[in-house]
């Protein structure tokens, strides 16, 4: 049911463009490969198709996976977005016929060595399929090698391994895939949230430039890199002049972002016109700092995040956050489970299974909130 709402929202959204960041260079090659471009109908159709295929697969196999064991490695349980993701993943696997006891979800505690030990344990146990949200995407090659050697199919989620690693799966015909969204699209949408307000509204000091602060997630993560680059690139592509006042790493964490933004506001004061946060948890921290500094979002400063956490959506509705971008954990978790099911049934998957982000403004925030709550 929720999928239908997602499709409606997707169909009612969309546009595309590209970007650059404070000290980071713009990557035109990446920008032109079409990954940041969104289309209205493609995502819902793909999503519905994947769901239908999974239903059909489940039916064909009797729809009963009660004796199949799924090992799920999450990089860190305390991450807000990954909490939504893993909860939905577990519920959906149960709906598909897996037994709750056989869905083994473990917390990597943001430590690759811990997670590697958990993967070794799952291999020793002989699980039927693994779903892995790596702590470090750069460890994917090592992880893939040991999981493939154990003849266990593997679905990576949320933190995309690099292109050469994905190519290796294809070249070797391995049962390995990645399910996730293209972060370039979310960065572009963040930029559009600002562009759509118009230069006159955002350029509060009237110097013809947009002065901004960037708060980045984990720098090893491609989501953080692309959101940082593409949010700003959207502005420059739209002809806006930009000036980066501060670009710092908040590791996806609310408290770290609060500190970063408090310091930046202390240093740059009213010069700060826009605060870009790579995710909503950090945008919520930024909002605390903005309010403590006596500033008012949408009046004398603008603030955008990504994920569409309930609290952030409430802020968008209340006008205390300019906008966010829905990171569709329903679609991603369902696609990951569907891919795992296909592997369990002895079928293959594409090596990359994508999903679209949705731009969230006051126009659709309530609709998205009704869906995620
Ligand atoms: C991103 C999400 C962040 C954080 C990160 C973890 O997609 O926007 O909030 O959860 O994944 O890798």
């Amino acid at each position: 049911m929720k999928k239908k709402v997602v499709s409606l929202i997707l169909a009612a959204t969309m546009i595309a463009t590209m970007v650059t960041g404070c000290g980071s260079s713009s990557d035109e090659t990446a920008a032109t490969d079409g990954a940041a471009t969104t289309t209205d109908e493609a995502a819902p159709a793909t999503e519905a198709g994947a769901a239908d295929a999974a239903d059909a697969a489940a039916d064909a196999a009797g729809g009963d996976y009660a004796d199949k064991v799924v090992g799920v490695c999450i990089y860190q349980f305390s991450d807000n977005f990954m909490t939504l993701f893993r909860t939905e993943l577990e519920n959906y696997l149960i709906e598909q016929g897996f037994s709750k006891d056989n869905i083994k979800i473990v917390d990597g505690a943001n430590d690759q060595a811990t997670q590697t030990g958990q993967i070794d344990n799952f291999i020793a146990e002989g699980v039927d399929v693994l779903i892995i949200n790596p702590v470090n995407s750069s460890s994917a090659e090592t992880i893939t090698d040991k999981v493939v050697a154990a003849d266990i199919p593997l679905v990576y989620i949320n933190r995309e391994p690099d292109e050469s690693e994905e190519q290796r799966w294809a070249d070797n015909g391995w049962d390995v895939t990645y399910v996730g969204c293209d972060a370039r699209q979310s960065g572009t949408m963040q930029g559009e949230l600002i562009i759509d307000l118009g230069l006159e509204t955002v350029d509060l000091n009237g110097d013809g430039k947009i002065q901004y602060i960037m708060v980045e997630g984990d720098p090893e993560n491609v989501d953080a890199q692309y959101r940082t680059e593409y949010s700003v690139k959207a502005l420059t592509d739209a002809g806006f002049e930009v000036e980066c006042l501060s670009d710092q790493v908040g590791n996806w964490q609310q408290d770290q972002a609060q500190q970063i933004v408090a310091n930046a506001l202390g240093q740059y004061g009213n010069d700060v016109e826009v605060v870009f946060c790579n995710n909503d948890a950090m945008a919520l921290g930024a909002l605390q700092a903005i309010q403590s500094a006596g500033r008012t979002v949408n009046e004398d400063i603008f603030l955008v995040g990504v994920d569409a956490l309930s609290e952030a959506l409430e802020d968008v509705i209340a006008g205390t956050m300019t906008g966010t971008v829905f990171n569709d954990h329903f679609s991603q978790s369902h696609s990951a489970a569907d891919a795992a099911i296909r592997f369990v049934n002895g079928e293959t998957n594409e090596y990359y299974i994508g999903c679209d982000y949705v731009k969230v403004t006051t126009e659709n925030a309530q609709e998205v909130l009704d869906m995620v709550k």
Side-chain angles (χ1 to χ4, degrees):
M1 244 166 344
K2 286 184 167 169
K3 275 174 175 244
K4 291 218 176 75
V5 185
V6 176
S7 304
L8 282 175
I9 295 170
L10 279 167
T13 326
M14 304 313 164
I15 308 190
T17 4
M18 326 290 88
V19 182
T20 334
C22 205
S24 80
S25 65
S26 100
D27 179 352
E28 294 301 336
T29 319
T32 51
D33 68 2
T37 304
T38 56
T39 54
D40 296 20
E41 272 84 37
T46 311
E47 195 187 314
D52 291 348
D55 288 348
D59 290 346
D64 185 8
Y65 300 102
D67 63 339
K68 300 292 180 196
V69 181
V70 190
V72 182
C73 297
I74 299 296
Y75 95 93
Q76 176 160 242
F77 274 12
S78 63
D79 181 294
N80 305 33
F81 172 73
M82 287 313 301
T83 300
L84 296 174
F85 193 126
R86 75 183 144 93
T87 306
E88 185 61 28
L89 178 65
E90 182 178 51
N91 291 341
Y92 184 77
L93 281 167
I94 292 169
E95 269 172 45
Q96 303 311 304
F98 287 82
S99 139
K100 189 173 168 47
D101 291 344
N102 287 338
I103 304 166
K104 305 190 174 179
I105 309 183
V106 293
D107 181 5
N110 204 22
D111 180 63
Q112 189 57 61
T114 300
Q115 185 176 69
T116 302
Q118 292 166 336
I119 295 168
D120 290 341
N121 290 341
F122 279 139
I123 289 174
E125 211 183 302
V127 296
D128 293 288
V129 61
L130 273 167
I131 299 177
I132 298 181
N133 168 212
V135 173
N136 297 327
S137 314
S138 55
S139 299
E141 187 176 339
T142 316
I143 295 171
T144 304
D145 283 344
K146 63 168 69 184
V147 174
V148 166
D151 210 16
I152 295 171
L154 170 57
V155 179
Y156 281 108
I157 53 169
N158 174 258
R159 297 184 151 189
E160 189 175 1
D162 64 25
E163 221 179 302
S164 63
E165 171 60 7
E166 292 179 353
Q167 189 58 47
R168 222 163 58 94
W169 313 336
D171 291 347
N172 290 290
W174 289 335
D175 281 348
V176 183
T177 184
Y178 171 73
V179 175
C181 303
D182 187 325
R184 286 171 283 201
Q185 186 187 47
S186 52
T188 299
M189 287 178 172
Q190 286 190 294
E192 288 169 357
L193 286 165
I194 299 301
I195 295 164
D196 292 347
L197 298 171
L199 180 64
E200 276 180 23
T201 304
V202 187
D203 183 20
L204 295 157
N205 60 13
D207 68 351
K209 280 192 241 171
I210 304 296
Q211 275 86 9
Y212 70 91
I213 296 175
M214 181 67 67
V215 189
E216 299 195 28
D218 163 16
E220 207 250 2
N221 187 322
V222 80
D223 282 8
Q225 294 160 12
Y226 279 148
R227 286 176 193 163
T228 299
E229 180 182 354
Y230 280 71
S231 53
V232 180
K233 189 173 187 307
L235 296 188
T236 53
D237 281 359
F240 287 37
E241 253 193 85
V242 295
E243 184 183 351
C244 178
L245 299 176
S246 155
D247 183 340
Q248 289 182 58
V249 171
N251 286 310
W252 308 118
Q253 305 288 325
Q254 179 164 347
D255 53 345
Q256 292 187 33
Q258 181 180 2
Q259 199 54 56
I260 288 169
V261 176
N263 292 344
L265 289 176
Q267 189 172 355
Y268 300 104
N270 289 340
D271 286 344
V272 183
E273 294 166 333
V274 175
V275 181
F276 284 110
C277 295
N278 283 174
N279 76 348
D280 278 349
M282 296 194 296
L284 292 169
L287 178 57
Q288 291 172 299
I290 287 169
Q291 290 175 333
S292 303
R295 304 280 293 271
T296 309
V297 171
N298 289 344
E299 281 182 26
D300 59 22
I301 195 162
F302 298 90
L303 171 65
V304 292
V306 176
D307 280 342
L309 298 181
S310 300
E311 219 178 326
L313 290 166
E314 278 159 10
D315 280 316
V316 175
I317 293 163
T320 41
M321 204 179 279
T322 308
T324 184
V325 177
F326 177 43
N327 192 0
D328 190 344
H329 59 279
F330 297 111
S331 170
Q332 290 172 75
S333 57
H334 297 187
S335 293
D338 292 343
I341 288 170
R342 282 190 289 273
F343 279 145
V344 165
N345 287 335
E347 296 164 37
T348 56
N349 283 291
E350 296 294 325
Y351 294 99
Y352 179 94
I353 299 171
C355 142
D356 273 311
Y357 285 98
V358 180
K359 199 169 18 174
V360 183
T361 64
T362 42
E363 301 277 297
N364 60 347
Q366 186 62 54
E367 206 179 338
V368 178
L369 183 60
D370 292 342
M371 177 181 51
V372 301
K373 259 192 158 172

